[in-house]
Amino acid sequence: MIERFILPFSEKDFEKEYDLIIVGSGIAGLISAYYAPENFKIALFSKDRLEESNTYYAQGGIAVALNPEDSPELHYKDTLSAGADFNEEKIVKIVVQEGIERVKDLIKLGVNFDKIDGLAFTKEAAHSKRRIIHAQGDATGYEVARTLINVVKDRKNTNIYEHYVLIDLLTYEDEVYGGVFFDTKERKIRIFTSKYIILATGGAGQLYLHTTNPLTATGDGIAIAFRAGARIMDLEFFQFHPTSLDVASPQRFLISEAVRGEGAYLLNAFGERFMLNYHPLAELAPRDVVTRAIFFEMLETQDRIYLDLRPIGEKKIKERFPNIYKKCMEHGIDITKELVPVSPAAHYFMGGIETDEYGRTNLKNLYACGETACTGLHGANRLASNSLLEGLVFGKRCIDAILNEDPAKNHSIPKHQNNLLNISLNEVNQGIKILKKILWDKVGIIRNETELKDAENIIDNLIEKLHNSFILDRSFVELKNMLLISKFMINSALIRKESRGAHFRIDYPKSKEEWKKHIIWEREKEVIFCEVNSLPSFKKNC
């Protein structure tokens, strides 16, 4: 039922050959382009503008053990604790140690992190120390992305393609040698071949009705890699950020966890602080705990939940969180004087393309880094502000691996023709609406077998309806990718009969030792189980 290719193409669509293709313009893709050798001919593809990425909108900052009171060992322990005993320990050690040098590289490139007698550090949920560095108060992602975009644009060996959607990868046996793209401005299919390809396409928050992610975050890289034969894993683990601004919007504005690190409280509709009823760390408990607490509190009170930033103080609010202050004022909320209505929203995908410690996938010459990859760093629940650090570390590690690998060979470009052009854009848009609501209602914060199976039936019917048909449009490509990911997310959630981290089954509310294993999928193969700390599965024959 899952096609190998989803749009028609042929050899006449060939455009150009490169040494390295990078798909994605968030921190992982941009840093890969920066570290790539100057003698490489590079193409960097962005689905929209270069700026349209989760990185660009990231508020909180980067977790890194640069505070004299901190250490990589403490960062390591906090990551494991937040990850619900499901992290790949080797990967965590790599990231907390190498991340220090990668952040120093950012500083050398000109990223202007906030300073108070040296770097300024804040605290976020589940961190034992103040280790989050930030920029422009609450616009860290903007500052990092802006700096890296300028650096990459100045590189003479890098061609930038904006508004290009990767549709599928070209493979010969188990080797990847090119990509089929949709140029959304010219509305043409274009094929580029390359010796190496790095997927850094970001997350999949748009699977859900309410998300903090931009409209581009539809999980494309994960679905594309899977269709080509790459392994994907941990799809049942999707993190919901507990505090998005509770106003009607297709992209929920995130209220950074850092406000709670600086002293903000969560209150229910009766004005009561409730987090101590759920966890001793209260507002600074791990994200999955805070999200479920808010969910249950909203159910119990049948009303909204609020953030009270007033304990931080008006002066500090305006200096430390200027972006949040401005955005809330646009909605008529003065956060220095009023409570802020918040609710959970889909935020970060722990699952993704399985990679090893250098971003390699089980397909030759295909690498993945950032949110589209699953290294095992985050376990079942991401520790706040570890994601930008992961992108930095593995963006460079992908390049390190490429420099020691044989390049892909040239292969002829196959011809693919879909049978039918019989679907309308209206049907596609309707399918997206149905998918997002079904996942929010039945595959969200709290799950159970009945609703998961209901969702499975609906998603399977949508997949069948779209099978072997197409329309030349970005939204069609996104829907096909979201349906594929949804299918395996639901299957994984049904298989995992326990609750762990961000995956909470109300019918199986406890964690179980026998479920300390990853659920991995590969095209046309049975489900694969691999014990924690045994990755990558494709090198260990799990």
Side-chain angles (χ1 to χ4, degrees):
M1 189 62 74
I2 297 169
E3 304 104 316
R4 172 62 184 88
F5 299 107
I6 62 172
L7 285 180
F9 63 88
S10 67
E11 193 170 357
K12 68 177 175 57
D13 300 314
F14 174 74
E15 287 283 325
K16 203 168 183 180
E17 180 182 359
Y18 285 97
D19 295 312
L20 172 63
I21 284 175
I22 301 168
V23 188
S25 60
I27 192 169
L30 293 170
I31 207 71
S32 295
Y34 166 69
Y35 286 117
E38 291 185 2
N39 64 331
F40 269 37
K41 190 165 64 171
I42 301 167
L44 175 67
F45 291 88
S46 180
K47 185 178 180 180
D48 204 285
R49 300 175 304 120
L50 285 180
E51 292 82 4
E52 198 65 17
S53 69
N54 270 332
T55 296
Y56 193 80
Y57 295 104
Q59 294 178 16
I62 302 176
V64 61
L66 283 169
N67 189 333
E69 299 176 1
D70 197 6
S71 70
E73 291 74 23
L74 287 173
H75 191 179
Y76 168 82
K77 289 176 182 177
D78 289 347
T79 301
L80 295 185
S81 177
D85 199 23
F86 203 73
N87 316 69
E88 291 295 308
E89 294 176 11
K90 175 176 69 174
I91 300 297
V92 179
K93 288 177 182 175
I94 287 169
V95 171
V96 300
Q97 292 168 355
E98 291 186 13
I100 293 171
E101 293 306 312
R102 300 291 76 78
V103 167
K104 289 178 180 177
D105 288 348
L106 280 187
I107 294 169
K108 289 175 187 173
L109 282 171
V111 176
N112 188 23
F113 291 107
D114 295 337
K115 297 175 181 65
I116 302 174
D117 297 325
L119 285 172
F121 298 92
T122 192
K123 193 174 183 181
E124 292 185 358
H127 288 273
S128 60
K129 297 290 181 181
R130 296 179 71 90
R131 68 165 62 96
I132 318 301
I133 59 172
H134 45 84
Q136 299 186 33
D138 55 357
T140 309
Y142 167 79
E143 171 67 13
V144 171
R146 179 193 64 79
T147 304
L148 290 177
I149 286 169
N150 288 338
V151 168
V152 171
K153 279 183 173 179
D154 284 343
R155 299 199 71 184
K156 293 181 172 59
N157 66 330
T158 303
N159 288 344
I160 293 170
Y161 295 87
E162 294 181 295
H163 304 282
Y164 271 68
V165 178
L166 178 62
I167 302 165
D168 275 306
L169 296 167
L170 297 178
T171 55
Y172 180 79
E173 296 179 345
D174 65 345
E175 182 176 78
V176 176
Y177 67 94
V180 182
F181 291 83
F182 176 43
D183 176 349
T184 59
K185 284 199 168 179
E186 297 293 328
R187 300 195 61 76
K188 289 183 178 179
I189 300 293
R190 304 188 190 275
I191 293 174
F192 297 84
T193 58
S194 182
K195 296 171 183 175
Y196 310 96
I197 294 180
I198 296 175
L199 295 180
T201 51
Q206 288 295 328
L207 287 169
Y208 288 94
L209 188 62
H210 304 299
T211 180
T212 62
N213 290 187
L215 294 171
T216 52
T218 52
D220 302 324
I222 301 167
I224 290 162
F226 180 81
R227 285 196 295 269
R231 291 186 175 187
I232 58 177
M233 74 175 199
D234 288 356
L235 300 188
E236 65 272 37
F237 297 113
F238 206 110
Q239 185 176 76
F240 294 80
H241 197 287
T243 55
S244 71
L245 183 61
D246 192 6
V247 295
S249 172
Q251 180 185 343
R252 286 284 186 88
F253 180 73
L254 184 146
I255 307 292
S256 171
E257 207 161 76
V259 303
R260 285 176 275 138
E262 296 293 349
Y265 298 139
L266 283 164
L267 303 174
N268 63 22
F270 304 114
E272 301 165 338
R273 281 188 72 187
F274 58 87
M275 274 309 304
L276 279 169
N277 299 331
Y278 294 91
H279 197 280
L281 290 176
E283 280 82 3
L284 293 180
R287 276 187 183 170
D288 61 314
V289 175
V290 180
T291 296
R292 285 193 295 274
I294 290 174
F295 180 89
F296 288 129
E297 204 72 16
M298 289 172 77
L299 275 181
E300 185 174 334
T301 63
Q302 289 296 295
D303 210 328
R304 285 172 141 181
I305 296 299
Y306 298 89
L307 258 177
D308 186 358
L309 283 78
R310 293 172 300 183
I312 300 173
E314 181 175 348
K315 184 174 183 291
K316 188 170 183 180
I317 287 172
K318 290 180 177 179
E319 290 176 354
R320 179 69 179 80
F321 304 109
N323 190 36
I324 295 173
Y325 175 76
K326 179 184 175 185
K327 191 70 176 181
C328 289
M329 284 296 286
E330 289 173 7
H331 290 277
I333 304 166
D334 183 347
I335 63 175
T336 67
K337 299 180 175 66
E338 301 172 85
L339 300 179
V340 183
V342 293
S343 62
H347 184 58
Y348 190 90
F349 208 177
M350 274 76 74
I353 305 162
E354 185 194 1
T355 71
D356 71 1
E357 69 273 22
Y358 280 94
R360 301 182 188 95
T361 71
N362 59 301
L363 298 177
K364 293 177 183 176
N365 306 110
L366 179 67
Y367 303 79
C369 55
E371 194 172 348
T372 200
C374 186
T375 61
L377 167 67
H378 306 298
N381 177 57
R382 178 176 68 96
L383 179 66
S385 292
N386 264 355
S387 50
L388 292 180
L389 191 69
E390 181 188 33
L392 282 173
V393 169
F394 282 98
K396 182 177 188 301
R397 281 189 153 245
C398 284
I399 299 300
D400 291 344
I402 283 169
L403 296 178
N404 291 292
E405 301 285 345
D406 293 328
K409 300 178 181 66
N410 279 321
H411 299 287
S412 60
I413 294 168
K415 180 179 180 180
H416 173 71
Q417 183 64 51
N418 295 67
N419 290 338
L420 302 168
L421 178 57
N422 69 341
I423 188 167
S424 70
L425 193 54
N426 183 57
E427 287 175 290
V428 169
N429 291 333
Q430 193 62 31
I432 292 172
K433 286 180 182 177
I434 292 169
L435 179 150
K436 289 162 76 76
K437 188 171 190 316
I438 287 301
L439 260 69
W440 181 261
D441 290 344
K442 299 180 182 294
V443 198
I445 297 165
I446 307 296
R447 302 166 175 178
N448 65 69
E449 185 162 351
T450 300
E451 292 192 334
L452 287 170
K453 286 187 173 179
D454 287 346
E456 181 181 37
N457 289 332
I458 294 167
I459 296 300
D460 283 345
N461 287 337
L462 284 171
I463 289 172
E464 185 176 357
K465 183 178 180 181
L466 267 66
H467 183 67
N468 223 10
S469 63
F470 76 96
I471 182 171
L472 197 61
D473 193 87
R474 168 177 149 174
S475 59
F476 171 79
V477 175
E478 292 175 332
L479 176 57
K480 292 288 285 190
N481 291 337
M482 289 193 290
L483 284 170
L484 188 154
I485 295 168
S486 300
K487 176 180 176 62
F488 289 98
M489 176 190 286
I490 294 165
N491 289 349
S492 299
L494 280 166
I495 289 170
R496 184 171 294 282
K497 290 180 167 59
E498 68 157 355
S499 290
R500 187 182 294 274
H503 170 71
F504 190 86
R505 289 277 302 261
I506 198 73
D507 45 354
Y508 296 96
K510 301 293 184 183
S511 296
K512 300 176 183 178
E513 187 65 24
E514 63 264 31
W515 276 107
K516 278 189 65 175
K517 51 191 174 186
H518 303 280
I519 298 172
I520 301 168
W521 304 94
E522 186 177 345
R523 184 182 173 86
E524 297 176 359
K525 293 192 178 180
E526 295 294 320
V527 62
I528 301 160
F529 297 100
C530 190
E531 299 292 330
V532 171
N533 291 316
S534 296
L535 291 181
S537 68
F538 51 86
K539 291 184 179 178
K540 301 286 180 64
N541 296 316
C542 290

